[in-house]
Every structure is written in structure tokens, then in C-alpha cells.
Amino acid sequence: MKLPDFFKEYFKQLMEEQEYRAFLDAFDGARCYGIRVNTLKIRPDELLSLLERDLEPVPWAPTGFYYPEGESFGKHPAYHAGLYYIQEPSAMMPAEALAPEPGEKVLDLCAAPGGKTTALGGKMRNQGLLVSNDVSPKRVKALVKNVELMGLTNTFITNETPDRLKTFFPEYFDRILLDVPCSGEGMFRKDREAVQSYSKYKSGECAALQRAIFDSAYAMLKPGGIIVYSTCTFNPRENEENIEFFLNNYDIEADRLEPTGGFESSRGSWTKSKDQSLSAGLRLWPHRARGEGHFVFRLKKKGERKGNGQLASNAGYTSKEAEQAAEIYRDFASDSLNGLQEGIYHLQGSSLYLLPAYMEKLPPVRWEKAGLYLGECRNGRFEPSQSLLMAKKPREFRRVIRFDRNDHNITRYLKGETLFHAVDKGYAGSRGYAAVCYEDYPLGWVKQDGEMLKNLYPKSWRMM
């Protein structure tokens, strides 16, 4: 790979000759591919059995696995069932380092397209509140889809600048993931266009932006709270030097991460102070481990962390209109679902939501998804959402159309084609909404009318 001369010269001055040569050679090596199991839906051993595969584990991620180049894991029905997320292996580390607990308040500040958000949501077991933000209106759409695909229900997805978001959440979060926009040097091997767009001044420009974003994140972090700062770049200006700036200018301290699985300690020796606390983070180098370039550092805000108080009440409404829509939803649920999850109902236009924990009303921010999107209330009728289906188990549906893993109807369904016969044992001839399942994992809705099944799989999700 042809790398910019100024990039090569910069790292030649930082590294010893032997490591420098290995570093450059790695850019011509094979990139790494990975999946992360969605433990909200399936255990890792169950997924490997379903896929009939023996995949090599990612050493720093208990639910991560490598897969060979050239395989189409994005076209497998198990992917459409939300059983795994396709993610570059080194990008699995930031969520591992943050280690959120169920019931906490967590923020993923630069979240799209959703790899780290979905990992955090899995660790939280859909309990507590996960605010997932991205400033880009276009990228936040992909974030919403991935959150719905993975079955997350505790997520409030916002589309705000960090500076504006901090006015609504002062010292609010227990943990914050700050996977900041960066110069992307670690992605050179993965994305050749990243090399073409790279400039001599990009790292310096990114460092200034990263400091501004950190300032907002710090304002939203509780005393005693944890923040994980990460990038996918090698440059110490954006990594160790930024951490040095944070430690010198904020009431915060390094929280050591132990090197594991090929990650090595960050390089405090590359800073002005050469403070050894700056070696408490982690770096992944493509010439030392199987992954692309990544930097991860954990920081703790000084002070004693306070609890989160009471969860939102078990049932309620943000408006009279929401209460009326909830009654329509309950009628649908009595016909189509086994049991009913209650909470705070919110109506936005015709869209009905069940708000996540700690939220009895929504702050006046731009948002895309608030907790569990239940569906649409129109003209006194309820149309269930794909989000509602993906968050449930087969036992929660009154009508289930189950296909075995090798049934050709699975592919036909995912392509949006008509299914001519109700093949389930026990619901032939019935009418109403039914859940189509790949084995025991929901894929989407059909509208059943006797033997006929109207395919309701979302057009934007369909297999091409």
C-alpha cells in the first residue's frame, strides 16, 4: 500500500527500526473480519451450532469471533434475525472496557452506525437507560436500524451536537463511551479511500474536535463515573497527548486497563510529560495482533458516584393522546401477543413508544427512537412495528410461522416475496398478525388470512 510520505516519516521518528518495518509491512497484510454474538437473543455456543461453524474466538471479546475473508455473513438469515453484529474485531474493545451494568445510565456519544451501542445494550440486558447519540442525520438512520435489529428496548436515540446535549443531561450518566471522530489511520488497511482523504493536517484538526467533544462528555458524567475514550487511529496527538490534556485540565484520573489478547499498553513515552499514567490505556497494532489500529483509554471522574433513584413508574402516559393510542395497542396485544409489557407510553405523530427506564417524559432534543417503538396508530387501528417483533421471543406471540433453517421460504420471506401457504402446525386457517421465525428466532411479521400470508418484512431491510 502506498502511504503518505509525511505519515511514514512521522512514525519512523517514533518507532525503533525493526518495529517500524513490521508496522509498514502490516498495511499490505490481510485485514481481519469479525462478528459479535447478540447475547440478548442467543448464546455464543448456540449460534455456532446454528451456523454449523467452528469460528476462532476474538481474544479480547468473549462474544466475538473471526470469520474468513470472502464469506457473506451479512446475507445469512441468522444476521437478519439479529443474532450477531458484523464488527471489526479491535472495535469490540471499547465496550468491553466501559463494562456497563444493568440498571445504569449510559451514554454512547458518537454512536453511529451502532456497533458499540448494541454491545453496550447487550451488556446492560435491556435494563437501565442507554442514550445513543450521533450528530449526523444520515448516519443516525443506520443506528436506529441496528438497535432495532438487535432487539434493544432501553435505548433513547438522539441526533444532537454534544454541546447541546450536555444542557439536558448535566452530571447524569454513570458511564460514557466516547468513540470520537478521528483521522482514521487505523482503518488504512480496511479502507483504501481513507488513505486518499488523509492530509498532513488532519490529525491536528481532529485533536481539536476531540477535545471539544470530551468537554461536553465530561459535563454529562457523574462524579465517580467512568468514561472510555477511543479512536481508530495511531497518532499520539489524538491519543496519548489528548489524554495528557484531559488529565491536566479536568478533575479526572486514569483508570488502568490491563493488556490482553494482543492489545498492548498505550505509550506514555510519546508525550511531553512522559507520565507513566499515560501508559494505562491500550493500543492495538496490526503488526502485533489480529485487528485494525485502535486506541482505548479509561478515565474516572473524581468524586463519589450517587445512585440513580427510582425507575419510571410501571404505567403512565405523556399525553391524553398517548393514553388513547395505548388502548388501541392493548386491543392488538390481546389478539396477537401473549402478555403485555406496560410502562410510560409516548405518542409522536402516529408512532407509539414505550419509554425506557428513568424517563417519564422526553427532553426537548432531536430524537429518532425512544425506548421500544411499538407501532403506528391510525384511524383506530394498530400496525405493529418491526422493532416490537425483534424485541420478543416466539413464546410471546399468539401465532407463529416457524421455518427450519434449510427451508427455502426463509429466503423468499427475507426478499419480500409472497408466501402462499401457512406451514405452521396449529394456526392454519386463522387470521391476524403472525411472527415469522427462523428456527426459534423472529424475523418479521406476516398478516395471515387463512392460508394466505401477506409479507410485511420492511422494504429497507430486504435481502437483495
Side-chain angles (χ1 to χ4, degrees):
M1 178 187 294
K2 181 173 176 55
L3 297 167
D5 289 338
F6 64 84
F7 172 83
K8 293 190 291 185
E9 185 61 30
Y10 181 74
F11 282 95
K12 185 176 183 180
Q13 295 175 17
L14 289 174
M15 293 175 160
E16 295 181 357
E17 178 67 20
Q18 184 175 358
E19 182 182 23
Y20 173 69
R21 290 299 168 192
F23 175 57
L24 292 188
D25 289 344
F27 287 101
D28 292 317
R31 57 167 289 196
C32 297
Y33 300 82
I35 61 170
R36 192 195 69 253
V37 182
N38 180 13
T39 55
L40 291 175
K41 294 176 178 276
I42 193 170
R43 298 197 314 265
D45 62 309
E46 291 174 330
L47 177 65
L48 295 182
S49 176
L50 183 67
L51 297 177
E52 299 179 332
R53 296 296 302 272
D54 184 19
L55 300 177
E56 182 181 350
V58 174
W60 50 85
T63 60
F65 295 88
Y66 295 101
Y67 70 89
E69 184 177 3
E71 296 207 21
S72 299
F73 269 73
K75 296 183 179 180
H76 198 285
Y79 171 78
H80 289 266
L83 303 188
Y84 58 83
Y85 187 93
I86 299 171
Q87 189 172 31
E88 196 282 307
S90 64
M92 299 177 189
M93 177 56 89
E96 295 296 325
L98 192 66
E101 298 285 343
E104 291 185 326
K105 296 175 179 176
V106 178
L107 170 65
D108 185 359
L109 189 53
C110 308
K116 297 173 179 68
T117 282
T118 53
L120 297 174
K123 290 180 179 298
M124 296 173 72
R125 309 304 305 167
N126 266 336
Q127 300 170 39
L129 173 64
L130 174 55
V131 177
S132 184
N133 179 74
D134 201 273
V135 70
S136 166
K138 183 177 180 180
R139 284 169 54 85
V140 83
K141 302 296 184 185
L143 174 59
V144 169
K145 178 184 176 180
N146 284 319
V147 163
E148 293 186 339
L149 183 64
M150 296 295 113
L152 270 63
T153 62
N154 69 332
T155 310
F156 181 42
I157 300 179
T158 57
N159 176 213
E160 284 288 359
T161 64
D163 188 58
R164 187 163 189 271
L165 205 63
K166 74 180 182 183
T167 64
F168 300 103
F169 295 104
E171 294 193 340
Y172 184 82
F173 295 101
D174 298 289
R175 300 175 197 262
I176 296 177
L177 181 58
L178 201 56
D179 187 51
V180 290
C182 67
S183 58
E185 297 167 349
M187 295 295 105
F188 282 177
R189 186 170 68 176
K190 176 182 175 181
D191 182 6
R192 301 301 171 103
E193 291 185 5
V195 182
Q196 302 302 318
S197 64
Y198 190 75
S199 73
K200 187 174 184 179
Y201 306 102
K202 189 169 185 178
S203 187
E205 293 168 354
C206 286
L209 174 63
Q210 290 152 2
R211 293 183 182 188
I213 294 173
F214 181 89
D215 185 75
S216 296
Y218 179 86
M220 290 186 275
L221 185 66
K222 289 180 180 179
I226 298 294
I227 189 166
V228 165
Y229 174 92
S230 65
T231 74
C232 58
T233 201
F234 302 114
N235 204 300
R237 295 190 193 99
E238 302 171 64
N239 296 329
E240 288 90 350
E241 289 183 20
N242 262 350
I243 299 298
E244 183 177 40
F245 177 84
F246 302 149
L247 293 176
N248 288 337
N249 291 277
Y250 295 87
D251 199 18
I252 203 160
E253 59 190 0
D255 191 22
R256 178 169 294 277
L257 293 167
E258 294 300 325
T260 181
F263 272 85
E264 64 174 47
S265 295
S266 52
R267 303 196 179 187
S269 60
W270 285 359
T271 64
K272 295 178 181 178
S273 67
K274 305 192 186 307
D275 186 341
Q276 281 307 298
S277 67
L278 298 170
S279 299
L282 299 174
R283 273 182 174 269
L284 187 141
W285 300 93
H287 60 286
R288 294 185 179 273
R290 292 183 61 194
E292 307 307 311
H294 229 81
F295 175 87
V296 183
F297 206 102
R298 190 166 63 197
L299 296 155
K300 182 177 181 180
K301 192 172 186 177
K302 294 178 181 178
E304 183 176 351
R305 196 192 318 181
K306 296 180 180 179
N308 287 316
Q310 296 295 316
L311 297 173
S313 58
N314 290 330
Y317 316 94
T318 59
S319 67
K320 185 65 177 178
E321 292 76 15
E323 183 176 4
Q324 294 168 349
E327 286 303 315
I328 299 171
Y329 166 66
R330 291 189 182 102
D331 289 341
F332 158 81
S334 67
D335 177 70
S336 302
L337 302 177
N338 293 317
L340 179 65
Q341 177 188 357
E342 294 282 12
I344 305 295
Y345 291 91
H346 177 78
L347 188 67
Q348 184 81 359
S350 61
S351 301
L352 185 64
Y353 295 85
L354 205 58
L355 298 185
Y358 306 115
M359 301 193 82
E360 296 191 358
K361 61 180 181 179
L362 298 180
V365 298
R366 290 192 301 269
W367 60 274
E368 293 288 329
K369 189 173 188 289
L372 176 57
Y373 167 45
L374 299 172
E376 296 294 307
C377 293
R378 295 191 179 101
N379 301 319
R381 302 181 64 179
F382 185 80
E383 299 173 10
S385 70
Q386 180 74 4
S387 180
L388 173 63
L389 178 133
M390 296 302 290
K392 292 192 173 296
K393 308 292 185 187
R395 64 179 180 272
E396 298 178 86
F397 302 102
R398 288 191 180 270
R399 289 174 289 273
V400 175
I401 311 296
R402 184 186 186 277
F403 295 114
D404 293 333
R405 70 186 74 178
N406 296 319
D407 196 312
H408 70 280
N409 280 297
I410 288 289
T411 301
R412 291 187 61 195
Y413 177 76
L414 291 174
K415 288 183 175 181
E417 297 174 6
T418 300
L419 303 179
F420 293 103
H421 299 288
V423 298
D424 61 301
K425 307 296 189 293
Y427 295 113
S430 64
R431 288 171 170 79
Y433 288 96
V436 172
C437 291
Y438 163 69
E439 297 278 339
D440 294 320
Y441 306 100
L443 285 174
W445 295 106
V446 291
K447 190 73 174 290
Q448 187 172 352
D449 186 1
E451 295 297 310
M452 297 299 294
L453 300 175
K454 182 181 179 181
N455 193 329
L456 300 179
Y457 196 65
K459 291 182 179 179
S460 61
W461 288 36
R462 290 178 184 174
M463 182 185 291
M464 303 302 292

